[in-house]
Amino acid sequence: EKMASDDYQQENPVAYGLNYEARCMTSRVGERDAHQFIVGTHSLREKNEIHVIEYKEETENVECLGVYSHPYGEIWQLQSCSSDKDLISTVYTDAKQGWKCNVWKLGQGPVGGGEEGGEMEADHMDQLLGLESVVELSGHEGPISTLRWSIVEEGEEGSPESIVTLDSACIRRWSLEGGKFDQKHCEKSPEIPGLTTGCFDPHHEQKFIVASQSNILSWDFRSNKSAESISAAHRGRILDIDYNPNRPYHIVSGGEDMVSRFWDLRNTKLPLNQLGGHTHWVSNIRFNRFHDQLLLSSGTDSNVNLWSIVSVSSAPVGELEGGSASEKEGDKLIKRYEGHRDSVYSIAWSSDAWVFASLSFDGTVVINNVPQSEKYKILL
């Protein structure tokens, strides 16, 4: 992690517009030396696209590195591989075959024949690039609500990469064997109704956290059953869950009741903390992987909130620099970002600790920096 020099460390938002509506975006986690994001479009009538973009801190602009043809239907979920920056996976709907999930390699050449991709507008690439199919992850039943790709940290060995999907019936996990994902290596849970979202447990490689309507389950693949659970964690469906990267058993959930709640899976009677800050559904919530007191939440109210939640983080309040007692109180809304005009369906931290992006349904990506004052409180 690096801190940009003062001469270009700006806090002004930078926007990038897609030609079509969009619901999903991910950080390009395999690219650790640049702020890169991958965005998928959600168009019913047009052939869909995947945009790879990079935010340049020095010039405060966004560069399009490539636009890839995805002519298979609306993209609902999108994830990238941490060990190979050119591998991605998408969940999409096929007009004839329904919900599909596929692993792709970002190709280097244009779509064959030119007609497939058509002409791009002047502010994009001259011609669409092609995706190479690696493997289809088949056998799903009904809508696929969640797609997650495990993160293998740089230099980490011994833990195989895996992809987990949630559909209307169960949890499925594919492991990377022999350099590829194989249908024969798919693990499947018993039927769990109403699965809405989930995430990997970064502290226990055999566990995956899922939401079933308003309930939370910690699923153990070894026993193929729930290890911990929280009943009625929210009033209404849970729309997103994230795991604290630095504190085992600590998670956060956001839902249709417009709140985010923090939980300790060892003691689930009451949440550890609760945040408001949204006037409609909390669609996404994400811990910062480097500094877990920093938290992003986004909503269908078109807002993105950046929080400092010291009380449930791995950083004691006393470690934060600041003169007055009020500066050391910890939990607070750092900033509300109101740059979107439509529901915000995706947020992502970059591979750096201080840059993040948000995506609204109208196809607008907005990139922001954590305010300098907060960085200094954490680092100095």
Side-chain angles (χ1 to χ4, degrees):
E1 148 205 1
K2 58 184 180 294
M3 188 169 179
S5 60
D6 290 340
D7 58 344
Y8 64 81
Q9 187 62 41
Q10 302 295 327
E11 297 173 11
N12 298 320
V14 180
Y16 176 86
L18 304 173
N19 290 332
Y20 310 120
E21 295 173 334
R23 296 184 67 100
C24 56
M25 173 187 63
T26 183
S27 170
R28 196 176 190 181
V29 292
E31 177 53 75
R32 294 175 169 86
D33 297 322
H35 306 298
Q36 293 185 8
F37 300 92
I38 307 174
V39 193
T41 64
H42 190 269
S43 173
L44 282 170
R45 298 181 180 179
E46 304 292 338
K47 293 179 180 179
N48 284 278
E49 303 169 353
I50 290 174
H51 291 231
V52 180
I53 62 175
E54 180 175 339
Y55 168 62
K56 304 281 191 178
E57 279 185 306
E58 297 89 345
T59 57
E60 291 189 89
N61 66 357
V62 178
E63 177 183 341
C64 179
L65 303 182
V67 181
Y68 296 81
S69 173
H70 189 284
Y72 311 99
E74 314 100 289
I75 306 172
W76 291 85
Q77 300 276 336
L78 173 63
Q79 289 280 284
S80 65
C81 175
S82 60
S83 63
D84 186 340
K85 66 180 182 180
D86 291 328
L87 282 183
I88 64 169
S89 51
T90 62
V91 168
Y92 58 96
T93 46
D94 183 281
K96 296 180 179 179
Q97 302 181 51
W99 289 80
K100 310 276 280 184
C101 182
N102 214 93
V103 178
W104 312 93
K105 188 172 185 66
L106 298 176
Q108 302 302 313
V111 174
E115 185 176 287
E116 177 83 12
E119 290 292 319
M120 298 294 296
E121 292 190 5
D123 60 343
H124 288 73
M125 307 296 285
D126 290 335
Q127 194 173 22
L128 290 173
L129 301 172
L131 293 174
E132 301 172 15
S133 178
V134 176
V135 64
E136 180 187 344
L137 305 180
S138 60
H140 293 93
E141 301 175 30
I144 304 171
S145 64
T146 298
L147 166 69
R148 293 288 184 268
W149 202 318
S150 64
I151 294 180
V152 177
E153 298 293 346
E154 196 170 14
E156 189 176 280
E157 297 181 358
S159 300
E161 283 191 76
S162 58
I163 287 178
V164 169
T165 58
L166 309 180
D167 60 23
S168 59
C170 66
I171 308 168
R172 301 169 193 268
R173 180 173 73 163
W174 285 265
S175 296
L176 188 65
E177 300 286 348
K180 64 179 182 179
F181 289 100
D182 194 318
Q183 190 70 25
K184 293 182 294 185
H185 298 114
C186 176
E187 302 167 79
K188 180 180 174 182
S189 74
E191 183 174 351
I192 305 173
L195 290 171
T196 56
T197 188
C199 71
F200 280 95
D201 180 340
H203 310 285
H204 304 94
E205 65 180 41
Q206 295 296 330
K207 289 185 177 181
F208 192 84
I209 310 299
V210 300
S212 173
Q213 297 294 343
S214 62
N215 307 308
I216 296 173
L217 307 174
S218 175
W219 195 262
D220 193 325
F221 285 105
R222 294 165 298 188
S223 61
N224 208 24
K225 64 181 182 180
S226 175
E228 297 94 12
S229 64
I230 306 172
S231 298
H234 286 258
R235 292 175 293 177
R237 290 187 308 154
I238 297 170
L239 301 180
D240 201 17
I241 293 178
D242 199 24
Y243 215 111
N244 189 313
N246 299 326
R247 296 195 72 183
Y249 303 104
H250 284 69
I251 65 172
V252 63
S253 56
E256 292 179 339
D257 55 2
M258 304 183 291
V259 299
S260 304
R261 288 178 173 161
F262 298 84
W263 304 92
D264 184 338
L265 293 172
R266 298 163 298 183
N267 184 7
T268 60
K269 290 183 179 180
L270 293 172
L272 299 173
N273 201 347
Q274 176 173 302
L275 302 176
H278 290 282
T279 58
H280 209 256
W281 299 352
V282 177
S283 54
N284 290 97
I285 193 151
R286 289 288 181 275
F287 281 107
N288 185 299
R289 290 198 300 126
F290 300 95
H291 307 290
D292 59 321
Q293 66 266 47
L294 295 177
L295 182 89
L296 288 172
S297 66
S298 69
T300 50
D301 58 1
S302 305
N303 291 330
V304 176
N305 290 335
L306 174 63
W307 302 89
S308 173
I309 311 298
V310 179
S311 66
V312 292
S313 76
S314 60
V317 177
E319 287 189 2
L320 296 183
E321 189 274 338
S324 68
S326 63
E327 289 178 323
K328 294 187 178 183
E329 287 175 0
D331 299 353
K332 63 178 181 179
L333 175 64
I334 297 173
K335 189 172 181 179
R336 175 171 291 116
Y337 299 87
E338 301 176 330
H340 290 283
R341 299 180 180 178
D342 208 341
S343 297
V344 180
Y345 283 124
S346 190
I347 50 177
W349 292 97
S350 82
S351 55
D352 175 271
W354 312 115
V355 174
F356 59 92
S358 52
L359 170 70
S360 52
F361 189 59
D362 60 6
T364 302
V365 179
V366 178
I367 298 176
N368 280 286
N369 287 271
V370 174
Q372 264 193 102
S373 58
E374 290 300 318
K375 299 175 193 175
Y376 290 148
K377 288 179 184 178
I378 293 171
L379 295 179
L380 299 183

